Amino acid sequence: MTLVAEEVRIDVPVSGAPRRGVLTRLVARLGNGAVQVVLALVAVFWMVPVFGLLIASLRDESANTADGWWTVFTKPAELTLANYAELVANQAVWQSFLNTFYIAVPATVLVVVMASLASYALAWIEFPGRETLTVVVVGLLVMPIQVALIPVAKLFGALGLFGTITGVVLFHVAFGLPFAIFLLRNFFTGIPRDLIEAARMDGATEWVIFKRVVLPVAKPAIASLTIFQFLWVWNDLLVALVFADQDSAPITVALRAQLRQFGTNIDMLSTGAFLSMVVPLGVFLVFQKYFVQGVLAGSTK
Amino acid sequence: MRLRVNVDAAPGRSPRQAIPFLLPALVLLAALVLYPLVFSLIRSFFDARGDEFVGLRNYVDTFTDPRTLTAFRNNVIWVVVAPAAVTGIGLILAVLTERIRWATAFRLVLFMPMAISLFASGIIFRLVYDEAPNQGVVNAVVVGVHDMFSPASRYPGARPRDGYAATEAGFASIRPSRAGDTISLPLIGYPPQDVPPQALGASPPTAGTGELRGVLWLDVSVGGKAGAVDPTERGLPGVAVEAVRDGQVVARTTTGDDGRFTFPDLGAGDVTVRLPAENFTLPFRGLTWLGASLITPVIISSWIWIMTGFAITFIAAGLSAIPRDALEAARVDGATEWQVFRRVTIPLLSPVLLVVFVTLVINVLKIFELVFVIAPGSVQSEANVLALQMWQVSFGTGGDQGAGSALAVILFLLVAPAMLFNIRRFRRERS
């Protein structure tokens, strides 16, 4: 924070009105202190569940059965990476971890490519029914995927896509498109008209305008969409539960199967859950600005 | 927050050029979203295998099936409670974060649950609400607070070997005693290694005139004689003992480190010796969070944990768009902070709050993973919601795709108002 900002803050107390008594100002100060404390407590409260899971994943079975994760503060020596070693050595779990990439990466790339193409047409090419099509896309934003599970399962069965990674990817792409088009179209229409017109004057084709003018300007929006879509697909359980088989299952589905096998063994469950969280957490922490923007723009999904 | 819409976006010149841009997305949307919607609608009028037209029977069955009705009830609870709670909490926290300098860090922490899968969140909250107080942090806190106000008993589960009847007040001797007697009171059902360290070896007291004396010890039958004080056996310190006459407690004492107790002046007449129940009550184990009665509130709390960050961030963006002048003008006019909040901030913010609320309602209607993962199998029917019921009926144990399609259509109809809301908002923003 810069010095100027500090000065402004001191000059304008939060209580606002000028010429207030010393007492009022003191109360405002204390009130502010209380707000700080309350919010700090809320933040800690919010982190406890994840922290507990992390610690549980770092303790072995006997330690976890004996007492709760919070005893780690008195027994830090119990921490071990053994659960992770065991989990990664489990062929099915490791394969599912890789599968999650095989599903999430193509599903993200395809959505970004298809949606930016379609959004360009909706934003800058006039054609009959453009308005209707845009409204349909907006309507599809909230479409529950349950509506498509049974028909698409049948369709994929007929096409030989049921139980394959391709099938899971295609389903994710289809249901990711409305939001992606909505987000990118909004951004594309905000591009200054002169920019597009100038390119058209120069005789550029639509494809060249799209590639040379629109895409470079739209990088932040595309970044938001990419992060959002990647996490959305990575975190899916329901779609894969229906359309993936044992060999194409992503980590959520594999862990769900292990849920029965491990039963109440929180050491392995927590390790698996944390393994599935590592990638999203990393992506979130590195690209949080884009992710937050994506979620806010996609408030309707 | 909202990307600006340029109203006079200049259209391109040739409609046909739109085709290659639109085709890939349109094909996929038509094949995997629009066609399935129509198919589901038709399919919902056919029987389980899809051979026979059954009219509205799937819908009638759905609305008379107790499992679906439970799911409906739970969805209503969810819609009524959860979005309002998250919007309210989000509003309060968003307003409060305006007063701190680490607002970004705060929002980051609360936003983090949005990044992880609902499946992982489910596992997290299964652990948080685990019923064993030495596993689940919530029950650990509940038990801790409970024991602070009503301490745990010293010898949970212990009981006299024989000669005593269990009553509501405790273990009462079957045979009466009187002053001058000595009583030996062997207790069983308590692990020897848990006997407090200050306990001394037990030995029977000698009789005293005018006094009722006794010894209370942990009777370990292995390697000793049942009912007799063996040399290695120790007395149990701190056990309350009562002398009861005609239903009234006439004297009360506590055993010493050697397990001995004495009633000095009992007067004449028989008494019953009683060991009050609070000596032996089993420890409080907290609440059955994952049981049938609390499961839905528990799952809702986990959803609140996930969605609050979203509400805060969205509302905070709305707050920052409120003109400072409006707030300052109200303050200069002498309005209190509360009045400013109530009369200026809330009205100006209400469109944003509505969007947040509607978004949360849509999200709640589709809730699936949290219930699927947090509710243990035995109470899943109690925690059921429509989206989960749809999956179970069509792919889980049910295998009835007619009924499943009917549920999917119902889900679609429930979301349809939100669809119209979005379209209307979109149209308004354009004009």
Side-chain angles (χ1 to χ4, degrees):
Chain A
M1 185 165 292
T2 65
L3 247 173
V4 180
E6 295 271 357
E7 278 168 8
V8 169
R9 270 184 187 267
I10 292 162
D11 284 351
V12 186
V14 183
S15 53
R19 265 185 286 154
R20 283 204 176 170
V22 179
L23 195 66
T24 323
R25 248 185 279 166
L26 188 71
V27 169
R29 269 289 158 76
L30 277 180
N32 227 16
V35 167
Q36 305 255 8
V37 172
V38 167
L39 291 184
L41 286 177
V42 170
V44 170
F45 186 77
W46 237 258
M47 284 189 286
V48 165
V50 176
F51 183 74
L53 185 85
L54 173 64
I55 300 300
S57 76
L58 292 172
R59 300 167 82 218
D60 64 15
E61 191 182 349
S62 63
N64 271 322
T65 358
D67 42 29
W69 55 264
W70 50 91
T71 54
V72 75
F73 295 112
T74 51
K75 292 182 269 188
E78 278 181 351
L79 293 179
T80 164
L81 283 172
N83 295 335
Y84 285 93
E86 190 180 329
L87 196 74
V88 170
N90 181 326
Q91 196 54 44
V93 172
W94 181 243
Q95 184 57 46
S96 72
F97 187 71
L98 295 179
N99 283 346
T100 320
F101 277 103
Y102 301 153
I103 293 170
V105 172
T108 306
V109 171
L110 282 172
V111 159
V112 170
V113 170
M114 287 185 183
S116 38
L117 285 170
S119 303
Y120 176 75
L122 288 176
W124 291 106
I125 304 178
E126 181 154 320
F127 57 90
R130 181 166 80 147
E131 195 65 16
T132 318
L133 197 58
T134 313
V135 167
V136 168
V137 168
V138 172
L140 291 182
L141 282 175
V142 294
M143 182 70 101
I145 65 167
Q146 276 81 5
V147 167
L149 293 180
I150 292 172
V152 174
K154 257 201 174 71
L155 187 68
F156 281 179
L159 297 174
L161 290 174
F162 194 82
T164 65
I165 283 180
T166 313
V168 179
V169 167
L170 284 179
F171 193 91
H172 276 304
V173 173
F175 273 81
L177 276 174
F179 164 67
I181 295 174
F182 177 72
L183 185 140
L184 291 184
R185 197 211 72 100
N186 275 354
F187 195 91
F188 288 178
T189 50
I191 294 171
R193 182 182 174 169
D194 299 349
L195 229 56
I196 312 280
E197 283 305 313
R200 284 197 176 133
M201 291 296 187
D202 292 347
T205 61
E206 298 299 332
W207 171 250
V208 170
I209 300 173
F210 170 71
K211 222 175 89 178
R212 296 277 159 79
V213 181
V214 171
L215 279 192
V217 180
K219 267 182 194 156
I222 290 175
S224 281
L225 174 64
T226 308
I227 303 297
F228 183 87
Q229 176 71 14
F230 179 80
L231 291 186
W232 183 266
V233 175
W234 183 280
N235 287 333
D236 158 74
L237 170 69
L238 179 55
V239 174
L241 200 57
V242 173
F243 296 113
D245 64 7
Q246 219 174 357
D247 298 326
S248 56
I251 189 149
T252 46
V253 174
L255 285 176
R256 191 246 162 190
Q258 307 273 333
L259 201 74
R260 296 199 184 124
Q261 193 189 322
F262 286 134
T264 55
N265 288 6
I266 196 64
D267 40 293
M268 290 322 273
L269 265 185
S270 58
T271 309
F274 216 86
L275 184 69
S276 81
M277 282 160 56
V278 165
V279 174
L281 279 182
V283 170
F284 171 67
L285 290 177
V286 176
F287 301 106
Q288 39 118 343
K289 199 181 106 201
Y290 293 113
F291 178 59
V292 171
Q293 276 169 358
V295 172
L296 291 186
S299 61
T300 39
K301 187 159 178 175
Chain B
M1 174 179 70
R2 172 153 286 284
L3 299 159
R4 189 180 294 271
V5 176
N6 191 346
V7 187
D8 53 8
R13 289 147 301 185
S14 42
R16 292 173 85 186
Q17 286 183 308
I19 295 171
F21 284 91
L22 287 169
L23 204 60
L26 288 192
V27 166
L28 220 52
L29 281 177
L32 299 184
V33 183
L34 289 173
Y35 155 76
L37 176 63
V38 177
F39 184 97
S40 281
L41 190 62
I42 298 169
R43 184 70 183 77
S44 70
F45 298 114
F46 284 81
D47 69 350
R49 296 180 50 209
D51 303 332
E52 195 190 332
F53 182 80
V54 294
L56 289 172
R57 205 178 69 203
N58 286 323
Y59 291 92
V60 174
D61 288 352
T62 295
F63 284 105
T64 48
D65 177 2
R67 287 174 309 161
T68 317
L69 292 179
T70 310
F72 264 115
R73 186 203 65 192
N74 287 336
N75 267 112
V76 170
I77 295 175
W78 271 91
V79 169
V80 169
V81 176
V86 167
T87 311
I89 298 171
L91 175 62
I92 293 170
L93 291 177
V95 170
L96 290 183
T97 49
E98 290 219 306
R99 295 174 155 226
I100 58 170
R101 288 185 198 163
W102 44 285
T104 316
F106 179 83
R107 287 179 203 146
L108 186 68
V109 168
L110 268 77
F111 208 88
M112 188 273 299
M114 288 283 295
I116 62 179
S117 66
L118 293 163
F119 177 82
S121 299
I123 303 279
I124 288 175
F125 277 87
R126 251 180 114 142
L127 177 61
V128 164
Y129 285 107
D130 196 297
E131 275 152 40
N134 68 342
Q135 301 283 303
V137 69
V138 172
N139 257 354
V141 170
V142 168
V143 168
V145 171
H146 172 272
D147 289 354
M148 211 186 296
F149 293 106
S150 88
S153 68
R154 285 190 86 156
Y155 302 104
R159 60 185 188 277
R161 180 174 284 281
D162 48 21
Y164 284 74
T167 67
E168 214 154 280
F171 296 103
S173 65
I174 293 166
R175 283 191 316 158
S177 322
R178 53 171 54 222
D181 289 353
T182 60
I183 302 170
S184 55
L185 228 173
L187 288 198
I188 55 170
Y190 189 73
Q193 66 271 21
D194 289 354
V195 172
Q198 79 265 28
L200 303 172
S203 60
T206 50
T209 19
E211 288 186 349
L212 174 61
R213 294 178 179 176
V215 62
L216 182 149
W217 81 100
L218 182 63
D219 189 21
V220 189
S221 49
V222 181
K225 225 171 105 192
V229 182
D230 298 316
T232 55
E233 288 172 345
R234 287 174 299 164
L236 293 178
V239 178
V241 188
E242 291 171 345
V244 183
R245 183 180 288 147
D246 304 328
Q248 299 284 321
V249 176
V250 292
R252 189 185 163 94
T253 185
T254 313
T255 56
D257 287 350
D258 55 359
R260 286 194 191 175
F261 58 94
T262 305
F263 292 107
D265 20 56
L266 277 179
D270 289 347
V271 293
T272 305
V273 171
R274 189 166 71 188
L275 301 174
E278 70 252 23
N279 288 316
F280 313 115
T281 44
L282 292 170
F284 178 65
R285 303 277 295 161
L287 296 168
T288 323
W289 297 105
L290 301 179
S293 51
L294 288 175
I295 188 69
T296 297
V298 156
I299 304 174
I300 290 179
S301 76
S302 69
W303 186 80
I304 292 175
W305 179 78
I306 295 166
M307 297 308 292
T308 297
F310 161 75
I312 292 176
T313 313
F314 206 100
I315 294 171
L319 276 176
S320 64
I322 291 181
R324 297 284 126 184
D325 298 353
L327 302 178
E328 281 310 313
R331 289 191 182 119
V332 170
D333 288 350
T336 63
E337 279 302 309
W338 172 250
Q339 284 170 327
V340 172
F341 178 70
R342 184 73 195 74
R343 298 281 159 80
V344 184
T345 309
I346 297 267
L348 286 175
L349 206 57
S350 56
V352 172
L353 293 179
L354 184 64
V355 171
V356 171
F357 185 79
V358 170
T359 308
L360 294 172
V361 169
I362 301 166
N363 188 297
V364 153
L365 285 174
K366 299 177 184 173
I367 209 89
F368 167 81
E369 285 94 336
L370 286 179
V371 181
F372 190 58
V373 178
I374 296 179
S378 52
V379 295
Q380 212 161 68
S381 59
E382 196 54 42
N384 208 351
V385 287
L386 287 177
L388 177 59
Q389 172 73 359
M390 188 268 157
W391 180 82
Q392 275 171 345
V393 165
S394 354
F395 301 99
T397 46
D400 183 345
Q401 304 210 325
S405 296
L407 276 166
V409 171
I410 292 169
L411 213 52
F412 171 76
L413 291 176
L414 289 175
V415 174
M419 221 171 240
L420 296 178
F421 173 87
N422 275 342
I423 291 176
R424 210 176 271 171
R425 186 162 65 106
F426 175 74
R427 283 225 162 113
R428 209 178 30 237
E429 274 173 19
R430 299 200 71 191
S431 57

